[in-house]
Amino acid sequence: MHSDEFYLQRAVALAASNVAGGGRPFAALLVKDDQVIVEAVNTLHISQDPTAHAELLAIRAASQQLGPRLEGCVIYASGQPCPMCLSAMHLCGVTRVVYAASNQQGEPFGLSTAAIYQQLALPLSEQKLAIQHIPQPAMVEIYSDWKACHEPG
């Protein structure tokens, strides 16, 4: 059985390799039952996709193999997951996250997402991003239809 340190060292090595190839210093492994299911690196520099974070790419690839629920899986990341990645981990049921570099360590290099975490902790009305809710009555029926199609039995 491999240790957290073992998997973190692999994530760090992948991050270093990504930097050497012109990318950002982010990599992630998704592990289940002591088996690496996916290794991924941040590919923003290639795809120009701002969501192409290593953790999201690992979740996407693992879901193709394991399905959309990733209970029992651990993500090992070179850096502290950003709010987007952390939210995705919650949504798909990842059991645990282990990371090497904190936001505080990344701050001097412009690699911290602490400010986004701070924004998300505020009520919607106080966030810098303009967020507007315009209720649409049809959505109640659409949600009801969805639930009826997905209820057991």
Side-chain angles (χ1 to χ4, degrees):
M1 182 150 176
H2 296 298
S3 67
D4 288 343
E5 188 71 26
F6 174 85
Y7 292 120
L8 267 184
Q9 287 177 6
R10 177 65 183 149
V12 169
L14 287 169
S17 178
N18 203 40
V19 168
R24 295 171 60 87
F26 300 112
L29 280 68
L30 190 140
V31 176
K32 183 171 186 176
D33 299 328
D34 207 33
Q35 296 293 316
V36 175
I37 306 298
V38 176
E39 293 182 344
V41 296
N42 182 299
T43 60
L44 171 64
H45 65 293
I46 296 169
S47 66
Q48 301 304 306
D49 177 355
T51 69
H53 292 200
E55 299 94 331
L56 279 186
L57 296 174
I59 287 169
R60 290 172 187 158
S63 294
Q64 294 298 307
Q65 296 177 48
L66 304 174
R69 299 300 304 163
L70 299 176
E71 284 92 355
C73 293
V74 180
I75 289 188
Y76 293 91
S78 60
Q80 183 172 342
C82 75
M84 173 181 66
C85 293
L86 190 60
S87 294
M89 293 175 207
H90 281 286
L91 285 168
C92 69
V94 165
T95 301
R96 197 162 68 95
V97 182
V98 182
Y99 62 92
S102 69
N103 271 328
Q104 186 177 9
Q105 290 171 301
E107 183 71 37
F109 307 98
L111 297 171
S112 173
T113 56
I116 299 170
Y117 273 106
Q118 290 170 350
Q119 279 294 300
L120 292 175
L122 297 172
L124 292 179
S125 62
E126 294 178 27
Q127 293 182 23
K128 289 179 183 176
L129 177 64
I131 303 170
Q132 183 177 8
H133 176 214
I134 302 175
Q136 299 294 304
M139 287 307 301
V140 173
E141 185 174 342
I142 293 167
Y143 278 11
S144 179
D145 290 347
W146 177 86
K147 184 176 181 184
C149 292
H150 293 87
E151 286 182 340

